[in-house]
Amino acid sequence: MDPRRNPFSPGAGVRPAQLAGRGELIETAEIAMDRVLGGLHATDIIMTGLRGVGKTVLLNHLVTLAKARGMETIKFEVPDARGGHLTPAMVIALGAVLKRLDRLKKAGEGLKLAAAALQNFAAVFRVKYEGFSFGAEPARALADSGDLETDLPELLMPVARAAGARRSAIALFIDEVQYLTREELSALARACHEAAQQGVPFLFIGAGLPQIAALAGEAKSYAERLFLYPAIGALSPQAAREALRAPARQQGADFTEEALERILEETERYPYFLQTWGKFTWDAAGESPITEEDVAAAGPSIIAHLDQNFFRVRFDRCTELEQQYLRAMAELGPGPHRTGDIAAALSTTSTRLAPVRRSLISAGMIYSPRYGETGFTVPLFDGFMKRMLPTLEPYKPKRRTGK
Ligand SMILES: Nc1ncnc2c1ncn2[C@@H]1O[C@H](COP(=O)(O)OP(=O)(O)O)[C@@H](O)[C@H]1O
Ligand SMILES: [Mg+2]
């Protein structure tokens, strides 16, 4: 069928033609936004899920909805676990917010205070900032202690108040929250906590891998109650059908029932895979409707494509030992698995494997759903590992060379 009209789009953060099956969560977030705009309290949200389930596109959609309501939105993605990304991102984004607020209604005491806090914050965290001062007195001791956990709330509260004075509110969106350092996460939780206590119009919506709930809890014990942690996962069968059928029909094409069934089975209804199967079967099929035979025929090239472009990039970044660890997990199935069982599959102990496991977690390859358990962060990764390494070798630690 004509690739020019192919409506499917596998790709990180690429908006799907049909954002299927997320209505309930979108409504929860919209209610939270409207409450905050109405001066009421709303619980902050951290959406959690594996890679490719649609967290980023959902977050982007929520940003659009917040903007449409007149909220002042800040959005950024934490690129990696090295730390230090939060402060510059906040300074740049809040500088822009203050400029917009100033356009809505000139300066005023509240805005001056917020601008002073931002200047202090930028200076103490050594972020280059050439923003407006709005005639602010930079001498006030505000957001300038150098302790992020103190300063981030001291910065955000006056900004949110200034927004509130203009009948707006601040909506902060952060993607890949699990990459924030413990200190950054603590500061963020503290800011959310303060905002709730002081009743300022501020809403935080984050997205990240499933370990984030545990990480947030470790950083600040009250974080467990501070946030809602809706789990984003595979789509329901009905939503998965809609994700395939609606975009096809918009282009005047369709899938047969059997074709849909087959795709649902092979993708396990994970959004990224639904897009991939949709795209490939569309291009391979001779005519509409796309049939089960078309799906079967496209299968091998889809798997080859995914291996090369989706799974392989992650696999190639791992050391040999890390690959062995992943292979042992695959031996046990899709997971999550007990960490002890993984060690047993490699004929060794969890203690010995602890460093490998740690580095795989910080690389975002695996995560710990709860204590003593380990799972892949990417759906269907077990099948890939078995294709890459057909047999499982027992763990052989390298012999230490005498130094
Ligand atoms: N609800 C959905 N319905 C259909 N396709 C979706 C949906 N959510 C995400 N996708 C598709 O899945 C892929 C992965 O989405 P992305 O937001 O990057 O996932 P994540 O951030 O969780 O890794 C994209 O190609 C996107 O178009
Ligand atoms: Mg993402």
Side-chain angles (χ1 to χ4, degrees):
M1 287 155 62
D2 187 356
R4 287 173 196 82
R5 300 184 48 202
N6 191 329
F8 298 102
S9 50
V14 179
R15 191 183 162 85
Q18 180 80 8
L19 186 62
R22 305 299 187 207
E24 215 172 292
L25 186 57
I26 292 169
E27 197 187 349
T28 303
E30 288 192 288
I31 291 172
M33 292 174 197
D34 290 339
R35 286 184 61 87
V36 168
L37 280 168
L40 297 171
H41 168 259
T43 308
D44 298 303
I45 299 170
I46 302 183
M47 308 184 282
T48 68
L50 304 183
R51 299 214 181 271
V53 296
K55 299 180 297 300
T56 298
V57 298
L58 196 50
L59 199 70
N60 290 340
H61 182 62
L62 297 181
V63 173
T64 313
L65 294 177
K67 279 207 173 102
R69 288 172 157 70
M71 295 182 101
E72 287 298 330
T73 60
I74 301 170
K75 195 222 144 188
F76 77 99
E77 176 184 328
V78 191
D80 54 56
R82 279 181 302 187
H85 301 296
L86 183 65
T87 48
M90 290 306 281
V91 169
I92 293 164
L94 288 173
V97 166
L98 291 183
K99 275 180 216 170
R100 278 199 304 271
L101 290 176
D102 185 50
R103 277 203 295 274
L104 285 179
K105 192 172 98 190
K106 280 289 166 196
E109 282 316 303
L111 197 66
K112 282 185 191 164
L113 191 68
L118 183 57
Q119 277 190 329
N120 290 351
F121 186 88
V124 74
F125 291 104
R126 297 198 175 82
V127 181
K128 211 161 150 249
Y129 171 63
E130 291 152 1
F132 298 107
S133 66
F134 304 106
E137 299 284 336
R140 287 190 63 126
L142 188 65
D144 65 353
S145 74
D147 170 36
L148 190 62
E149 206 180 315
T150 308
D151 294 344
L152 189 65
E154 282 190 5
L155 169 62
L156 283 170
M157 295 313 104
V159 176
R161 271 200 199 90
R166 285 154 183 81
R167 299 180 178 284
S168 184
I170 303 292
L172 171 62
F173 297 88
I174 303 185
D175 202 357
E176 307 282 4
V177 200
Q178 77 284 348
Y179 284 149
L180 291 176
T181 63
R182 191 183 171 121
E183 187 199 14
E184 290 166 341
L185 200 54
S186 293
L188 186 64
R190 176 81 180 273
C192 292
H193 197 46
E194 288 276 319
Q197 290 185 347
Q198 299 187 21
V200 300
F202 173 83
L203 181 67
F204 169 67
I205 302 185
L209 293 178
Q211 71 262 32
I212 189 63
L215 289 177
E218 280 166 30
K220 276 274 160 281
S221 57
Y222 57 71
E224 280 174 27
R225 282 158 289 129
L226 191 61
F227 302 112
L228 293 177
Y229 297 97
I232 318 271
L235 297 179
S236 70
Q238 194 195 342
R241 275 196 198 90
E242 183 196 328
L244 292 163
R245 195 157 245 173
R249 286 186 174 168
Q250 279 161 23
Q251 296 296 333
D254 210 340
F255 291 86
T256 65
E257 262 316 308
E258 296 73 29
L260 287 180
E261 277 313 309
R262 175 85 183 238
I263 297 180
L264 262 52
E265 202 176 301
E266 301 205 356
T267 57
E268 295 183 17
R269 309 191 305 272
Y270 282 103
Y272 184 85
F273 300 131
L274 287 168
Q275 295 295 330
T276 307
W277 257 262
K279 179 173 164 50
F280 277 76
T281 55
W282 176 290
D283 284 351
E287 58 181 17
S288 174
I290 297 167
T291 64
E292 188 181 6
E293 288 70 41
D294 293 327
V295 178
S301 61
I302 295 175
I303 298 287
H305 172 85
L306 282 174
D307 284 358
Q308 203 55 40
N309 297 283
F310 184 69
F311 296 123
R312 183 85 201 219
V313 280
R314 299 165 203 284
F315 176 83
D316 282 348
R317 283 188 219 130
C318 298
T319 67
E320 211 175 303
L321 197 55
E322 287 169 347
Q323 293 178 359
Q324 250 189 323
Y325 191 92
L326 298 170
R327 179 60 182 84
M329 286 174 64
E331 190 70 13
L332 303 172
H337 306 293
R338 288 185 45 226
T339 308
D341 292 346
I342 301 167
L346 286 165
S347 316
T348 182
T349 64
S350 305
T351 318
R352 285 203 124 134
L353 292 173
V356 185
R357 181 171 178 271
R358 248 196 319 276
S359 70
L360 282 168
I361 288 179
S362 73
M365 299 291 297
I366 60 175
Y367 75 106
S368 179
R370 63 181 72 107
Y371 186 76
E373 284 189 9
T374 306
F376 292 115
T377 56
V378 179
L380 310 188
F381 205 77
D382 57 320
F384 166 73
M385 283 309 300
K386 287 181 173 164
R387 290 192 291 277
M388 292 309 288
L389 304 171
T391 56
L392 172 66
E393 305 286 342
Y395 169 69
K396 281 192 243 69
K398 294 227 169 64
R399 273 217 255 122
R400 281 167 197 272
T401 46
K403 267 188 200 151

